[in-house]
Amino acid sequence: MKYPVIKGTSYTLIQTPGLLLQQATLKGSQLSHSIKDQLRSFDSVVRYPPNQAFIGNLLPEDLLNIPRPWYNNALSEGKRQGKLGEIFPEDEFLGVLDAVDVYGLVCLEAGFKQSILQKLRYHPALCMLKGIKTAQNDSFSNEEVHEMIETREALPLIFGGQIIGCVRKATVSDSNLTASRVLENLTAKASAVAALQLLLSKTGLKPQDVDYIIEASEEACGDNRQKGGGSFAKSIAEACSCSNASGADTRAFCAAPVHALMQAAALVQSGIFTNVIVVAGGCSAKLGLNAEIHLEHNMPVLEDILGAFAFHISKDDGINPIIRTDLIGRMNVGCGDSPQQVYHSLIAEPLTKGGYRIVDMDRYAAELVNPEIIEPTGCGDIAKRNYSMIASLGILRGEIDRSEIEEQIHRFGVPGFAPNQGHIPSGVPYIGPARDLILGNKVNQVMIIGKGSLFLGKLTRLYDALSLIIQRNPK
Amino acid sequence: MDQENQVQIQELAQKYGCEELIAVLGSADPEMAVIAAESVAGGNLMFIDPIPTAQLGLKAYHIVELKELIDHQVYLRHMEMMEMILDISRIIEEVSIVRKRFFPSEVSE
């Protein structure tokens, strides 16, 4: 059987302290000033070991050799460009936010707009965006920006402590198109555009060769009568000049990226499309989610970054790692939600079907949120908890001896290294490293696991999970 | 325990009375189990405080404490794997301590 392959990956991180402070203000936090004092510099964000792992300058596995806390053990050198991606500062992001806004809702002050456009025109990937190449001539004076904030419910955009622009509401009376919703959605779009443009630049895939885009974030765009109508996907395709592509959004909370990968693989394997992109941008509402707890623990505010990714799924080329579409692990409605039943369905069933044992996977990657961010909240190391469950499943099946638990977890468990951005950490940050390790003959097969908290939507009390096996190309 | 859960538990306690209810915990972590047991016993102790004055007065038991009350096969089907990774004795000890602290005259064990 011919399986689809993972032909390219890209990851971006964007430090957005201005958006973080805005979130804190919107939530009415009393701690805006304390948060300001504990914000990180861009340099410390770049040198933070988990971030270097996210963009591919470090293997996630290598983080286990760096003492915790990682924020006190920053690398002596760090590059914003990595083998798999790039870390962007906020001014560049605001330039992209403006460049992808086609309704004139992002209003940048003239001087800032000019300088950031100049900067972005030298960026090897982002310079290709049509919103950068031929920017709209719609800059504003400082007075105009302040007037919109003070009298027209616009939200300020801040860089370096200064108001450099604002985001306007999209209609006079629609509560679903307020300035904060517009900013949230444009943030998801702009960060996804950055990830896709980086993917195109890194892999050489021509925009016009992209057939279809599946967007897998957790945002909803629409007006009051169709709140989650979409489509982020097509708007991202348009911004990246993928003129022959269409697309649509897939939603399943944090499990959506793995669902989207499965769908992309199916579209390719069926022959419907040749080049399918799975993409997701970041979530501004999750910035500073646990900032108050981090401050209590005298930690820097680590949730100051947006994450985004893009994957290129294509037909078998005899080189790239394949997605085993015949071995999809699911959490069906009937399987309930006790962990034992879930892990049986999600892990054991596809492995058994493929003739594999638990120990045959070189790596498992699940809920890869950086433990340093969430341990202070009392949630523990979520990634590691998944691997403990997988090891116990191995014991139940008689494939792992009890004495080997720690050793096995260390061998197959990918440590958490992704920002706390919901759908971003959900297994998929390891696809890039896995692809490289498989191509370099270092590992053979990896299971990627996505999990999503469906119950947050109040339509069901269930959660969801999906697993995929990525394997060395048999040719 | 999130705010909505706390509000739901409070509503159930008001409707049926605390003496008719216990809270059953499933936390994998002793610390989280203690926080949840304290929340339902004495009101919310977490940093988010939607019902600061509520004294729910509910006794909490972790599911591992109720093993003998559950059909053995059912328990095995759902809990055998979890038992391998849970610190069962510590969970039982810590959740019992919370009950003894909040209900000194009612709880014998």
Side-chain angles (χ1 to χ4, degrees):
Chain A
M1 192 192 287
K2 281 197 176 246
Y3 295 103
V5 299
I6 299 169
K7 214 162 178 181
T9 66
S10 89
Y11 296 94
T12 65
L13 293 174
I14 303 160
Q15 192 204 16
T16 52
L19 284 187
L20 162 65
L21 284 171
Q22 194 182 67
Q23 284 297 319
T25 312
L26 284 173
K27 287 177 200 154
S29 169
Q30 305 297 311
L31 291 170
S32 301
H33 285 291
S34 322
I35 290 173
K36 214 174 199 170
D37 293 339
Q38 291 294 322
L39 287 176
R40 299 186 287 182
S41 66
F42 182 66
D43 177 60
S44 65
V45 167
V46 168
R47 291 191 295 116
Y48 184 53
N51 294 349
Q52 285 294 308
F54 197 81
I55 60 163
N57 286 337
L58 195 67
L59 270 177
E61 292 88 331
D62 291 340
L63 288 171
L64 298 171
N65 303 323
I66 300 174
R68 300 258 313 265
W70 291 319
Y71 56 81
N72 281 343
N73 289 289
L75 303 176
S76 55
E77 274 183 45
K79 289 183 185 158
R80 62 172 274 187
Q81 289 90 4
K83 190 178 176 192
L84 300 175
E86 184 163 347
I87 306 172
F88 292 94
E90 191 162 29
D91 58 342
E92 294 177 22
F93 172 69
L94 293 170
V96 178
L97 193 74
D98 184 55
V100 303
D101 164 35
V102 292
Y103 273 89
L105 301 172
V106 177
C107 306
L108 295 183
E109 187 270 320
F112 178 82
K113 178 159 176 164
Q114 198 181 2
S115 69
I116 200 60
L117 275 175
Q118 191 68 10
K119 195 174 172 191
L120 287 170
R121 281 175 183 146
Y122 283 99
H123 189 279
L126 300 184
C127 69
M128 299 305 292
L129 289 173
K130 60 182 172 192
I132 302 291
K133 277 195 285 196
T134 49
Q136 293 175 46
N137 186 22
D138 64 345
S139 52
F140 296 82
S141 71
N142 219 352
E143 290 73 27
E144 284 174 309
V145 167
H146 278 86
E147 192 266 334
M148 285 187 272
I149 295 166
E150 282 152 24
T151 65
R152 289 156 62 187
E153 298 171 52
L155 275 178
L157 294 172
I158 297 162
F159 178 70
Q162 304 291 318
I163 294 177
I164 50 77
C166 64
V167 174
R168 298 193 287 202
K169 60 181 180 181
T171 64
V172 177
S173 59
D174 192 327
S175 61
N176 221 43
L177 291 167
T178 58
S180 66
R181 295 302 301 274
V182 168
L183 177 55
E184 225 167 59
N185 286 338
L186 281 177
T187 295
K189 177 183 175 183
S191 47
V193 164
L196 176 53
Q197 197 58 48
L198 209 58
L199 178 83
L200 297 172
S201 161
K202 277 184 179 295
T203 61
L205 173 65
K206 294 189 180 76
Q208 63 269 27
D209 289 341
V210 175
D211 298 307
Y212 197 76
I213 295 188
I214 306 175
E215 195 265 7
S217 76
E218 295 180 90
E219 306 300 344
C221 67
D223 65 17
N224 249 340
R225 290 174 190 82
Q226 42 271 316
K227 297 182 178 66
S231 148
F232 285 88
K234 198 162 176 180
S235 78
I236 293 161
E238 178 193 26
C240 292
S241 304
C242 300
S243 50
N244 296 319
S246 177
D249 308 338
T250 284
R251 292 291 177 268
F253 282 87
C254 310
V258 182
H259 278 279
L261 278 166
M262 176 188 69
Q263 292 162 354
L267 288 172
V268 169
Q269 191 166 344
S270 65
I272 295 175
F273 297 125
T274 303
N275 294 306
V276 181
I277 301 292
V278 171
V279 65
C283 175
S284 57
K286 291 197 178 77
L287 291 168
L289 193 64
N290 300 294
E292 298 186 359
I293 298 175
H294 292 159
L295 292 175
E296 276 171 29
H297 285 77
N298 295 316
M299 294 166 59
V301 178
L302 296 172
E303 293 163 317
D304 58 349
I305 41 179
L306 301 167
F309 57 74
F311 306 121
H312 174 199
I313 310 302
S314 191
K315 62 183 179 186
D316 191 5
D317 57 2
I319 299 167
N320 278 292
I322 56 170
I323 297 175
R324 287 293 300 266
T325 46
D326 54 337
L327 303 179
I328 305 283
R330 289 182 297 163
M331 184 186 162
N332 295 335
V333 169
C335 106
D337 58 4
S338 80
Q340 188 164 329
Q341 299 292 309
V342 171
Y343 278 78
H344 180 78
S345 240
L346 192 64
I347 316 278
E349 278 185 9
L351 289 179
T352 305
K353 188 179 170 196
Y356 300 112
R357 299 166 303 160
I358 297 275
V359 292
D360 290 334
M361 288 295 117
D362 295 303
R363 301 280 189 278
Y364 292 90
E367 297 189 279
L368 295 174
V369 62
N370 173 358
E372 197 148 279
I373 296 174
I374 45 156
E375 277 172 352
T377 70
C379 290
D381 184 337
I382 297 179
K384 192 170 178 190
R385 193 178 303 146
N386 279 283
Y387 310 139
S388 300
M389 304 281 264
I390 293 169
S392 358
L393 186 64
I395 297 170
L396 268 188
R397 290 162 58 92
E399 297 168 7
I400 295 177
D401 188 79
R402 272 174 197 270
S403 62
E404 296 176 285
I405 284 192
E406 279 305 316
E407 181 193 329
Q408 287 292 345
I409 291 173
H410 190 266
R411 181 185 68 81
F412 65 53
V414 176
F417 62 103
N420 192 17
Q421 286 264 291
H423 56 291
I424 301 293
S426 198
V428 298
Y430 194 65
I431 287 181
R435 179 174 172 272
D436 277 358
L437 288 170
I438 290 171
L439 286 172
N441 294 325
K442 304 267 177 45
V443 306
N444 287 316
Q445 48 206 359
V446 171
M447 183 181 271
I448 303 288
I449 301 160
K451 287 180 163 182
S453 305
L454 307 189
F455 49 83
L456 294 171
K458 308 297 179 197
L459 296 179
T460 171
R461 287 187 180 273
L462 294 175
Y463 65 100
D464 189 41
L466 200 78
S467 71
L468 289 180
I469 294 173
I470 298 170
Q471 222 166 36
R472 182 179 299 178
N473 198 304
K475 280 183 193 162
Chain B
M1 191 184 297
D2 64 22
Q3 292 185 41
E4 285 84 3
N5 275 340
Q6 292 178 42
V7 170
Q8 274 184 14
I9 291 169
Q10 188 185 20
E11 284 171 1
L12 287 171
Q14 280 166 353
K15 188 169 178 183
Y16 297 104
C18 288
E19 62 282 2
E20 295 294 324
L21 296 172
I22 60 166
V24 181
L25 310 176
S27 167
D29 192 89
E31 284 77 19
M32 291 301 277
V34 164
I35 291 172
E38 287 175 338
S39 297
V40 297
N44 178 27
L45 297 178
M46 296 175 77
F47 70 99
I48 300 166
D49 203 356
I51 43 172
T53 55
Q55 290 288 315
L56 286 170
L58 272 182
K59 286 187 276 290
Y61 293 81
H62 197 280
I63 188 71
V64 296
E65 296 181 276
L66 308 176
K67 185 175 180 177
E68 302 307 320
L69 303 174
I70 298 168
D71 179 276
H72 186 59
Q73 287 308 317
V74 173
Y75 190 86
L76 279 186
R77 196 159 65 236
H78 294 285
M79 287 297 293
E80 190 180 11
M81 197 175 100
M82 289 303 293
E83 284 205 331
M84 291 181 203
I85 57 168
L86 295 181
D87 187 346
I88 292 174
S89 54
R90 207 177 131 217
I91 287 175
I92 294 177
E93 186 191 341
E94 304 237 353
V95 177
S96 306
I97 289 172
V98 175
R99 285 197 302 274
K100 282 176 192 158
R101 183 149 50 90
F102 282 90
F103 311 98
S105 59
E106 293 178 50
V107 180
S108 54
E109 77 268 38

